[in-house]
Amino acid sequence: MKETTFSRKERILQTALQLFASKGYLDTSTKEIASNAGVSEALIFKHFGNKEALLAHIVKSGYRKVLLHHKGMMTYKSAKDFLRNMVQLPGKLVAEEPLFWKLQERLSHHSFSKSQHELFIKPVQPIIQRAFLELGYPNPELETQFLLLIIDMLWKKEACGEIENAVELSRLVEQKYNLV
């Protein structure tokens, strides 16, 4: 049975994700991706055009997957539930897609990756602020900024393996905000 174009394309994407996450985007060549994926370098260019477009595809599809799988968590039922979900979300995301989040951490200063992450977070920001307002916090804007910084640091540290007690830290944040 002849291998389908789809499976070769998926193999390219998985291989590129693994290499970009472990070695870094700049230190990974399309030749290396092709060799590890068992395809020709020309096939990478046929499917994606260039390495930058391959990276863009990986990043966009990663965020799409997150939005599809965690839509329910981001639904506002009550202020405490929403905030608790936001605190727990980084750990769940990293556990489900460790390579993607490791790549995102490595690319946190890459303009395209950074813009995609900001697009992902932007709609959540006013909802977090609304939750803090409903819970009677005196400065909901500042609390929102502070919580987003904590969440951002948690997923980055967990994704790159610099933190082993992320669950305990998430629980601590939940306790600090009286979410448990």
Side-chain angles (χ1 to χ4, degrees):
M1 186 168 129
K2 188 174 179 180
E3 186 177 26
T4 66
T5 303
F6 179 74
S7 64
R8 287 187 295 175
K9 185 176 181 180
E10 281 301 308
R11 204 165 62 232
I12 292 167
L13 288 167
Q14 282 303 311
T15 302
L17 174 60
Q18 289 169 345
L19 290 170
F20 290 161
S22 62
K23 293 182 63 179
Y25 171 73
L26 294 176
D27 292 330
T28 303
S29 69
T30 53
K31 186 175 184 172
E32 184 178 13
I33 294 167
S35 174
N36 287 10
V39 299
S40 70
E41 193 175 14
L43 189 61
I44 293 173
F45 296 126
K46 177 184 175 194
H47 284 301
F48 302 101
N50 59 35
K51 188 169 93 166
E52 184 79 20
L54 173 59
L55 176 66
H57 186 86
I58 290 169
V59 171
K60 282 182 178 181
S61 64
Y63 279 112
R64 259 194 311 274
K65 194 184 299 183
V66 167
L67 291 172
L68 286 172
H69 287 103
H70 295 281
K71 206 175 208 174
M73 273 189 89
M74 297 173 143
T75 303
Y76 194 92
K77 296 171 190 137
S78 74
K80 284 188 175 192
D81 282 343
F82 188 79
L83 291 175
R84 188 179 316 105
N85 285 340
M86 288 299 99
V87 170
Q88 294 172 359
L89 187 61
K92 290 180 181 183
L93 295 178
V94 173
E96 290 172 5
E97 297 287 338
L99 286 176
F100 175 73
W101 291 102
K102 183 176 183 178
L103 173 64
Q104 280 302 100
E105 192 279 328
R106 288 188 81 125
L107 294 173
S108 59
H109 299 295
H110 187 277
S111 61
F112 177 77
S113 184
K114 190 174 179 179
S115 70
Q116 289 299 303
H117 189 71
E118 287 169 3
L119 285 172
F120 173 68
I121 290 296
K122 191 174 182 176
V124 173
Q125 205 163 354
I127 303 169
I128 292 173
Q129 190 170 322
R130 171 184 157 197
F132 281 125
L133 184 65
E134 284 180 20
L135 292 172
Y137 281 82
N139 194 337
E141 300 88 9
L142 202 55
E143 292 292 349
T144 299
Q145 186 179 3
F146 182 67
L147 182 60
L148 287 173
L149 285 170
I150 291 170
I151 289 169
D152 197 51
M153 185 60 69
L154 279 173
W155 78 257
K156 285 178 179 176
K157 293 290 186 184
E158 193 171 355
C160 65
E162 292 181 9
I163 193 170
E164 292 181 20
N165 60 342
V167 172
E168 291 85 359
L169 288 169
S170 293
R171 283 193 197 119
L172 180 64
V173 173
E174 289 176 28
Q175 289 168 355
K176 294 273 186 200
Y177 281 114
N178 196 26
L179 304 174
V180 286

